[in-house]
Amino acid sequence: MKRLVLDIGGTNTRICLVDENQSIVFKDRVSFTGDAEAFSKRLKENCFRILRSEDTDDFVGLSVAGAYLNRERRLWIPNLFGGTLVSPFDLLAIDNDSLFVTNDRISGSMGEMFVGAAKGCRDFLYISIGTGVGIGIVSDGHVVNGSNGFAGSVGWIRFNEERIEDLVGGIGVSSSYEELTGMRLSAAEIFDLAESGSSEAAEVIAVTAYYLGKLIACFTNSTNPEVIVLSGSIGSRWKLLEDRAMEVIYKETSPMITIPEMRLSSLGEDAQILGTSILMHHEISI
């Protein structure tokens, strides 16, 4: 029997079916256009259609870019709803006994730990950098959730009075390039230009790499991971970030700590979907 799993990201939502072998057999997308009511309506329609037309489990999984507040049973997805807390059960029109909810830091970490780049690792960081920045922390084989679901929500960490999300996230990269050149391009386009030899793009990427290195050094010192898995549209461009970031990491990491091995995600955007499905299986088994 297949399982319906959704991953609400900072821009796009993936709606998938996962089979008993933890393979994704169907994938669809819904983009957020700024209208929360229309977005919720589309999610409900898609869920209803799939649950009625497919041989699916009644237990639905949801992973979100932000946090699921355990005590309040509410979602916090700042890139979509600002500071408004949203009920996941109302958002999808699914009964609370039929919905499993987690955040993308935990689901991504679980996906990579069980079937991805961190398979076999018990102490690692899963760093996802796209529209925003989040870190999944796995210590001795256990994912750290925090007292109310916010562990690894690092976007508000500041360096030189600027939020790390604005320094290394996609919107920040675009803004930095626009300040330098007067042109507004996507982060992907800027990375492509840097790869092609553009000095302006390379300058922006060097600053991004510098602050990413500081963030990684900070969490390497505080969690002592053996591996760091990089994911997301920015994290996956590690090749262009590596030299400058590693300079900072070596400089700012304790000499008593072994520098962790840097790995690219082997699951990409599927890490959250598969990780949520794995967590659901574990929940049911218990």
Side-chain angles (χ1 to χ4, degrees), residues 232-252:
S233 58
I234 304 293
S236 63
R237 307 300 291 263
W238 173 247
K239 183 179 178 181
L240 285 173
L241 300 162
E242 183 175 9
D243 289 347
R244 184 70 180 108
M246 290 306 298
E247 284 180 20
V248 178
I249 292 167
Y250 275 106
K251 180 181 178 181
E252 300 191 8

Side-chain angles (χ1 to χ4, degrees), residues 7-25:
D7 173 38
I8 300 179
T11 306
N12 294 304
T13 292
R14 287 168 286 279
I15 303 172
C16 301
L17 285 172
V18 182
D19 68 14
E20 298 93 332
N21 299 315
Q22 301 301 341
S23 296
I24 297 172
V25 296

Side-chain angles (χ1 to χ4, degrees), residues 59-176:
F59 201 32
V60 176
L62 173 64
S63 172
V64 300
Y68 176 57
L69 283 69
N70 302 319
R71 292 191 290 268
E72 294 84 351
R73 305 188 78 180
R74 291 290 185 272
L75 300 175
W76 178 71
I77 313 176
N79 286 325
L80 300 188
F81 305 122
T84 302
L85 299 182
V86 178
S87 164
F89 316 107
D90 293 341
L91 182 66
L92 301 179
I94 293 176
D95 184 81
N96 59 5
D97 293 327
S98 300
L99 184 63
F100 174 86
V101 189
T102 186
N103 66 62
D104 61 347
R105 299 177 300 282
I106 289 178
S107 60
S109 298
M110 290 296 289
E112 296 291 351
M113 181 165 65
F114 277 84
V115 294
K119 190 173 182 179
C121 297
R122 295 187 60 81
D123 293 275
F124 72 94
L125 298 177
Y126 170 79
I127 304 181
S128 180
I129 313 167
T131 305
V133 185
I135 298 182
I137 305 166
V138 177
S139 179
D140 194 26
H142 300 283
V143 182
V144 178
N145 191 28
S147 64
N148 201 25
F150 276 90
S153 183
V154 301
W156 271 255
I157 291 176
R158 292 177 181 267
F159 293 107
N160 295 334
E161 300 303 318
E162 290 194 63
R163 289 171 51 203
I164 189 65
E165 191 163 287
D166 297 328
L167 293 167
V168 305
I171 295 173
V173 171
S174 294
S175 297
S176 296

Side-chain angles (χ1 to χ4, degrees), residues 212-230:
L212 176 57
K214 291 183 78 68
L215 179 68
I216 290 174
C218 176
F219 276 81
T220 296
N221 284 321
S222 57
T223 66
N224 192 196
E226 58 180 316
V227 165
I228 292 177
V229 178
L230 292 157

